Amino acid sequence: SVSAAGSSSSAAIGGLGVYEVLLAWRFLLGVGVGGEYPLSMAVTAESAAEGQSAESMAMTYMMFQVGQLLAPIVVLCCLYGGASSEVTWRLSLGVGSVLALLGTLLRAGTMTESKAWLEARARARKTNSFCSWSTLRAIGYPLFGTMSTYFLYDVVSWGVGSYTSSIFKSTTRAGTIWYMLLINLMATPGYALTLCMGRFGRRTYQLLGFL
C-alpha cells in the first residue's frame, strides 16, 4: 500500500528525476508483491476447512485476475474523462494503493496465524530444525517444481504482455488499452475453471494448463 501510494505520488527528489523515484518505489512494490504471492496462498491453504483448500486457493488467486481487469478499466475511464497523461498514470497507480490499504485493514482486523503454522513453529523450536538443511532437502523437489512452473508462467505471461502494443497495433492510447483489456478477458475462463481444481487434482490441472 505504501509503495503503491509512493509510486503514484513520485516527484523529483535531490538529483533524482520523477521516473527514477518511480522506479525505486516500483522496486519496493515488487519486493512486497513477491512476498505476498506465495504467503497468501499458504495462509489460505492452511486456514481453509478440510477438503476446501483447493477452492479457497482458487478464489484467492482469482483476485489477481480481477486486478488485471480493473487496471485497464481505470486507465480507460481516465482517458475518456479527458485526464492528462500524468494524471492518468498517477491515478491508475493510486487506485491500486487504495485497494491494498483496504486489504491491509481487513487482514489486521480478521486474520490470525493458522493452526498448522503455529504447530509447525512449535515443532521447529523443539527440534531446532527451522530452516535447516534437512528441512530444505525434504521440500527441495516440490519447491523447485513450484518455482520453475511459476517462472515459466511469468516469462510467458509478462513477456507477451510487454509486446501487446507491438502485436496489436493501434493509433490511439485508448485503443491499446482496449486490446489489453481484451487479452485479460480471454484469460478469465481459465481462472474461473480453477474453481474445479479440487475435482481434477492440482497436478492434473496444472499439466493441462501448460498443454
Side-chain angles (χ1 to χ4, degrees):
S1 178
V2 173
S3 297
S7 298
S8 66
S9 58
S10 296
I13 300 176
L16 298 177
V18 173
Y19 294 109
E20 291 172 326
V21 175
L22 174 62
L23 179 63
W25 279 117
R26 297 297 286 179
F27 172 78
L28 293 176
L29 180 63
V31 173
V33 172
E36 166 69 18
Y37 226 55
L39 287 177
S40 60
M41 294 292 103
V43 171
T44 300
E46 292 173 355
S47 304
E50 185 176 356
Q52 296 181 354
S53 62
E55 288 79 6
S56 299
M57 290 173 63
M59 286 294 294
T60 301
Y61 197 76
M62 278 188 68
M63 294 302 101
F64 177 79
Q65 177 65 3
V66 172
Q68 291 280 75
L69 296 176
L70 284 178
I73 289 175
V74 171
V75 175
L76 286 171
C77 290
C78 292
L79 292 177
Y80 286 117
S84 65
S85 298
E86 183 175 1
V87 171
T88 298
W89 73 259
R90 289 185 183 277
L91 186 59
S92 301
L93 296 175
V95 170
S97 69
V98 173
L99 296 176
L101 178 60
L102 291 175
T104 301
L105 295 175
L106 286 172
R107 288 184 177 187
T110 62
M111 194 172 76
T112 59
E113 297 292 357
S114 67
K115 183 180 178 181
W117 184 85
L118 292 173
E119 292 175 350
R121 184 182 64 172
R123 289 194 302 270
R125 285 179 173 177
K126 288 181 180 179
T127 59
N128 195 27
S129 61
F130 180 74
C131 203
S132 64
W133 282 111
S134 60
T135 302
L136 291 176
R137 282 196 299 270
I139 64 173
Y141 285 115
L143 181 62
F144 175 77
T146 303
M147 290 172 56
S148 60
T149 50
Y150 261 111
F151 174 77
L152 293 173
Y153 167 78
D154 286 339
V155 167
V156 174
S157 176
W158 299 110
V160 172
S162 355
Y163 287 97
T164 299
S165 58
S166 300
I167 299 172
F168 300 97
K169 297 185 181 298
S170 177
T171 56
T172 63
R173 291 181 178 177
T176 301
I177 302 301
W178 275 112
Y179 279 129
M180 293 179 64
L181 180 58
L182 174 62
I183 292 171
N184 292 337
L185 281 171
M186 291 171 64
T188 302
Y191 280 90
L193 285 173
T194 57
L195 294 175
C196 304
M197 183 170 54
R199 180 179 302 176
F200 301 110
R202 297 165 177 78
R203 182 175 180 276
T204 302
Y205 193 88
Q206 192 170 53
L207 287 174
L208 289 174
F210 275 103
L211 290 176

